[in-house]
Amino acid sequence: MNADIQDQSLQGRRGSETTAISKAKWRSLFAFTTHSHVLTLCLALSLSLASGVITPVLSYLLGKVFNSFTSFGAGNSDGSELIRKVTRYCIGLTALGAASGILHAGLLGFWLVFGELQAKCARDSLFAGMLEKDMEWYDMRKDGTEALIQRLQTQIRELQMATSQPFGFAVQSTVTALAALGLALYTAWDLTLITIATIPFAAIILAWISAKMQPSIEAQAVELSSASKLANNALQAIDTVKCFNGQDFEIFKYAQVIRRAAKKYLIQAKANALQIGFVRFVTLSMFVQGFWYGSHVVIQGKKEPGQVLTAFWSCLMALQAVEQILPQMLVLEKGRAAGATLAAILSQMGRRRRVIMTGSLASQLCEGDIEVRNVSFRYPSRPEQPALNSASFFFPAGETTFVIGKSGSGKSTLGNLLMRFYEPITGEISIDGHALQTLDVQWLRNNITLVQQQSVLFNESVFKNIAFGRRDWDRVQREEVRRSIETAFLQHTINDLPLGLDTIVGTGGNAMSGGQRQRVAIARARLRDTPILILDEATSALDHISKGLVMNAVREWRQGKTTIIITHDLSQIEDNEYAYILDKGVVFQEGYRHALQKGTDGPLGAPRRPSITFPINKRLPKLPEESRRPSYASTSSGPRGSTVSMRSHDSLSIKYHPRPQSVYVPGIFRAASEHPGSLRRSPQFEPLLNMNRISGLPSMFTRSPDGSPHQNSSTDATFDWPPPKSRNQQVQDLSLVNELHQTRKSAVRAANTKPVRTPPRRLCEAVPMQTINLPTATGGRPDHATVSDGLSARRQLAPIKKILLTIWPTLSWRHRLSLIAGFACAAIHAAATPVFSWVFSKLLSTFFLPENRSREALRWSLSVFGVGGGDAVAAYFMHYLLESCGQAWVDYLRTEAMKRIVDQPRVWFDRDKNSVASLIECLDRNAEEMRNLLGRFAGFMFVVVVMLLTALVWSLIVCWKLTLVGLAAAPFMYAVTKSYQAINGRWEDRCNEAGTATAAIFTETFSNIRTVRALTLEAYLHKKYLKSTESALTVGFRRSAYSSIFYGISDSGIVFATALIFYYGAVVAASKVFTTQNIVTVFSMLLFSFSNANAIIAFVPQINSSCATATRLLRLAYLPHKSSHEHTGHIRIPALGVIFFDDVHFTYPSRPHGSVLNGLNLKLAPNTSIALVGSSGSGKSTIASLLLGLYPPTSGTVTFDSIPCSELHIPSLRSIIVVVPQTPQIFAASIASNIAYALPEHSTLASRAAIERAAEMAGIHSFITSLPRGYQTLIGEGGTGLSGGQLQRIAIARALARQPLLLILDEATSALDGESARSIRDLVRRLTSQGVGVLMITHDGEMMSACEEVIVLKAGVVEERGPFRYLAQKEGGELRRLLSDG
């Protein structure tokens, strides 16, 4: 046995990544470098060293060329000698150009390969490392597992970016600086030392500025992690967000965090801009002392002008090399921090709170005897609350044993401990007499199958999901799978699928219903057929008959095998089956059902607390003949269904106000086109319109002094992104709209039910809440159709021009002024280079002067000092202002994308390409890379263009012949550069595709880590992931090869053009048509211009990477807005009235293989309680989705008080209809925030008293107050873990807090114990008596009995309806069949 000992505290583990960032060293960039990478790294470094020498050699040759021109200008040589010397040097330049092309091609290629290797190693190491981490590590993630996964992907990308091209060029520039400095010292050591005298001081300043960047990088990483967590929570729970009108709430929270992250980034941008401006000043200011001393030594005859020029040019190139590193510093700093963080996460592998024995015992046979002795356990996320407290169990081999208890009593904890997801704090667990710690974990999990309530399916076929039950899943035969399907009664479901067993179930199994997923999980367990089976609420989503059939099949299958069934459904237990009853982690009752049912002391032999009462299967008493009214027979025939008379209430109860006093409308639903008179008012609802208002709710309309309604301008607080030019264009752009509306019929309202359109009521009187406080543009916006032209193709990058055109409309006027100022500074910065070139030529001409050389040299040196000062200031403001505008741009697009994402119809989220993981990646990593287009590249490209134009015009004026010869190379360079950009862009997009596919496997694995471990799928998923990373690596290698070839050609082309200019310059000079001074001036301008143009070519891979990520983010930011069925209506209704489904057909677009509703005719009267019953897949939950407007019907109409749903204002409808889903969706926030979710802060409904009242009604108040922090306890991702029943009751409290007119409970009691379910039944009766309608979707007979009417669905139509007792006793009735054993 091995012992792994934890040597850090839990708090230290949570903060170790943050500490790693603050202590990141440059060697962190190589944290994932292995021995196999050494050869690639050595080759890349060698090529960097060799290519770094190119510039000093070029400097040497340039010095020789200028020396020849100086000699000619001074009259020391003739024209023929000049041409001869320059020709020789130009041949050397040509050879140097060829060598430069080869070396730079190899440099880029090998560094891109090295970056790909680092990314692959990081991905593989993290995947393998996280597979080894215990569940405690996942529980203790501060921001939750989902946010961690997204940040890891971003940090891997940051590490890859830093260790590829930027690091390679940084090494090259460093070598260039050192080599150039060495050449300068060799040529004229005294001049060199005087020239670089200010460098040590400058280095200290730069190091100090760099040190100030790390804390802001750390802080930004924390904020971006929080933003990812918020976005992930919102998109994972998109149904809840929509149903509770939480769109604005989520956008507001997301925008707040993004703004905080932006502030941290601007600190980095300011520091980086200061570095660039400072180096620029130092670079140019060294001319003052340098040229003054150089002219002095030339006058004294100690040095030749060529030597002085070579030394000085070398110093200049050394500092320019340092200057070229600075734009890459942010990338390198982020890569350094990312490497340190990733390494810190890996270093935590194997650490635990205490000594854990890792066993290796693997018996050949597992009998299945399980003994749990005095086990105590507390979850790491809630150490103050015991989950089990000295609990003891014995599960004999070959028998079925039940574990029952209230929500949170510790039932599921038992399964987690048996699977060794956690280790008990005290006590011992043994299997077949062997302590659990001594058993091999893989052997253990191969002999125990755990089926949990939340059945996880993988994005594979149905066949493979079932086959995963076996370790040798690739050898499973279809016949074996079919036998497993029969146990789970999945035959009909499989037959209805378009490809049968080969149908892909989608991400998370979203192509199947909850009950179908549970049955697939049971079929998987049947195929696995281990000696020990644990069913943890594994049939909670099944209807009564399916549950009974499956349980009977399980009993037959599990005869003679150990089976543990964890449930709160006591009807599943037979008289001769043994049960343990848990309460607060303690076993307080145990025994056979028949003994416990008698009410006598059980096997424990001691008086106990009040025990759970077992339901006794008794036939319902026969109803009197007269009570069997024909009106309750099957009502599926007829066009209008049937209606049940309901009690009416003249007044509302003071205990519960089902009528919300005001309606909160998300900003994304507000539009200037809303009809002012869209609220239907009836005299019977007049008192409701005059109720007290809730303060703090945003008002869509207010009344003018004359009483007429007008739109409140406060709603302009939301974004004002332009819709497409026409609705037709919008529909053409989205196949989604075609899916939703292709068969939808127009609803025609009957003349006698047509409502009178009257002005709407005023929604509130207080100052409206600002839904989002981001700058909005008032100028013109780019048209959606125009932008989408460049964004729609999956493998096609949007042109950079089209991307940059989206900047101006997204900025506020303050940022627009900053943008103008930034480009003005860029223009000054660009003009500084030609001005410097001209002044530099004047300095060179001082060597030709017969007298006053020192005075003229000092004069022009001081001129350079002035140019350097102005250029430094311009460079600082250019970089900072453009970075700040770039940050504002991506922040707007991020928030706009989030706004439009949550506005998309529900079916949009069912598509694989719109998975939550890919959306979060776009909002996080893609936005960070996209910012570089404006912050780093746009300004630089503008500078080069302005500089080139200025230099060309100036050169044409000074010496047009030489300039035209220089321009002759432009077509060739343009063609090469465009080819390089196109090829690199294509492969960059393919790399992004491969990276996204790899990230999807990573996310799927660790989001479902419990299921992965329970099924021992680690090896399969690891192999699948390695195959994916290998594929991504191959694509990266190909990108490296193609990109490097064209980069080498473009780089050598610059040197060839330089040689051509020098040669022709010698010819022109020899002809004496132009003066030597003019020719030297043109040389200086063209050389500096070519040098900067070459720098742009070096940035092409990074520019294309930013364009690829920008294309993805802009796709989201330009999604159609307010174009779905959710925005077609404008009528606000104060009450629901009669709800009628008229010949409604519906098919889920993501599941087109089967229709769910087939001509449904259903009438629901208000203020009553109705149970909606039917087998799994009969359309119950679909009806709830249609009532809430999540989907439109495929055909037919749903009307509310005779008004079609398509004409209703959906947010208003969702404010009076609230749903509690079977799977509660909890947000990463406090319990109080979850209950008051999306309610305005100052609303009375969000007050502490209202929250506590809702919790009391849901039966969760006592539990909440027992927690140390009470209602402020954090739950959800990264918070305290709660049981399924506790989460369901919090979801019920959230619904009750909104005081709806209709409460939909969709299997909302499936995870509740009997006592809690009884309280919910009482709540239903109480709500109904107070005028609140309840639609109960359930399979539970006792919940049905609490309702006034039961509606039974079958195959998407109403089969029968009536009182529960009548239908339950009806001979041949569907409900009676469902409640029986089938």
Side-chain angles (χ1 to χ4, degrees), residues 109 349 368 429 530 602 716 860 908 1117 1157 1183 1215 1310:
M349 184 172 59
I429 302 175
T530 53
D716 292 338
W860 291 110
W908 185 84
L1157 300 180
I1183 290 176
S1215 69
S1310 60

Side-chain angles (χ1 to χ4, degrees), residues 956 1010 1152 1186 1362:
L956 284 169
R1010 289 178 188 270
L1186 296 180

Side-chain angles (χ1 to χ4, degrees), residues 630-653:
S631 60
Y632 294 121
S634 174
T635 59
S636 59
S637 60
R640 306 292 292 181
S642 64
T643 307
V644 179
S645 60
M646 303 296 169
R647 68 169 70 93
S648 61
H649 299 274
D650 297 330
S651 61
L652 302 177
S653 169

Side-chain angles (χ1 to χ4, degrees), residues 625-637 641-645 1349-1351 1358-1363 1366-1367 1370:
E625 195 68 31
E626 58 272 16
S627 68
R628 304 184 188 180
R629 294 188 294 273
S631 60
Y632 294 121
S634 174
T635 59
S636 59
S637 60
S642 64
T643 307
V644 179
S645 60
E1349 184 185 16
V1350 176
I1351 298 175
V1358 176
E1359 180 70 15
E1360 60 186 13
R1361 66 186 298 170
Y1366 170 75
L1367 295 180
K1370 180 183 175 182

Side-chain angles (χ1 to χ4, degrees), residues 73-259:
N76 298 328
S77 62
D78 57 11
S80 60
E81 186 179 355
L82 173 65
I83 294 176
R84 181 177 57 80
K85 288 183 178 180
V86 171
T87 300
R88 186 170 69 250
Y89 295 137
C90 286
I91 293 173
L93 283 173
T94 303
L96 184 66
S100 176
I102 295 172
L103 291 175
H104 279 89
L107 177 147
L108 179 66
F110 278 103
W111 278 113
L112 287 177
V113 167
F114 182 71
E116 293 288 347
L117 290 172
Q118 295 305 286
K120 185 181 188 303
C121 184
R123 288 166 176 157
D124 294 349
S125 299
L126 285 168
F127 194 92
M130 289 179 66
L131 280 180
E132 297 297 325
K133 294 184 186 297
D134 53 30
M135 292 308 304
E136 179 181 307
W137 185 88
Y138 289 94
D139 290 346
M140 296 305 294
R141 294 305 90 202
K142 185 177 181 181
D143 291 322
T145 305
E146 296 286 349
L148 170 69
I149 291 170
Q150 297 304 326
R151 287 305 301 162
L152 287 179
Q153 301 307 314
T154 299
Q155 288 168 335
I156 290 172
R157 177 64 176 178
E158 289 175 347
L159 178 65
Q160 179 184 0
M161 288 286 291
T163 54
S164 54
Q165 182 190 5
F167 189 81
F169 285 168
V171 172
Q172 179 195 16
S173 297
T174 302
V175 173
T176 298
L178 294 175
L181 195 59
L183 178 62
L185 289 169
Y186 174 78
T187 305
W189 65 270
D190 51 348
L191 175 62
T192 302
L193 292 178
I194 291 175
T195 302
I196 65 171
T198 57
I199 298 301
F201 171 74
I204 294 173
I205 297 297
L206 290 176
W208 178 77
I209 295 173
S210 180
K212 293 295 182 182
M213 293 172 64
Q214 278 298 321
S216 61
I217 291 175
E218 172 190 339
Q220 186 200 16
V222 171
E223 296 295 350
L224 288 177
S225 180
S226 298
S228 294
K229 178 180 177 180
L230 288 173
N232 185 76
N233 284 169
L235 299 183
Q236 291 280 11
I238 189 63
D239 284 354
T240 300
V241 171
K242 285 180 172 290
C243 292
F244 285 79
N245 290 329
Q247 294 95 327
D248 281 355
F249 180 71
E250 295 297 339
I251 297 167
F252 179 72
K253 289 194 303 178
Y254 182 75
Q256 278 186 318
V257 179
I258 287 299
R259 282 198 296 272

Side-chain angles (χ1 to χ4, degrees), residues 804-872:
L804 295 178
L805 284 176
T806 65
I807 296 173
W808 180 264
T810 65
L811 301 180
S812 66
W813 276 109
R814 181 174 69 85
H815 282 103
R816 289 181 181 181
L817 292 175
S818 297
L819 184 65
I820 294 171
F823 278 106
C825 291
I828 296 172
H829 181 54
T833 299
V835 172
F836 166 75
S837 301
W838 179 73
V839 176
F840 184 59
S841 67
K842 293 296 184 181
L843 275 171
L844 293 177
S845 67
T846 60
F847 294 126
F848 312 147
L849 297 177
E851 57 185 12
N852 297 325
R853 287 186 179 180
S854 296
R855 184 172 61 83
E856 288 298 313
L858 180 60
R859 172 190 170 192
W860 291 110
S861 295
L862 290 175
S863 298
V864 170
F865 185 80
V867 172
D871 190 24

Side-chain angles (χ1 to χ4, degrees), residues 1279-1297:
T1280 300
L1282 301 179
S1283 70
Q1286 291 162 347
L1287 294 177
Q1288 274 195 340
R1289 281 181 284 171
I1290 289 176
I1292 293 171
R1294 177 167 58 202
L1296 295 174

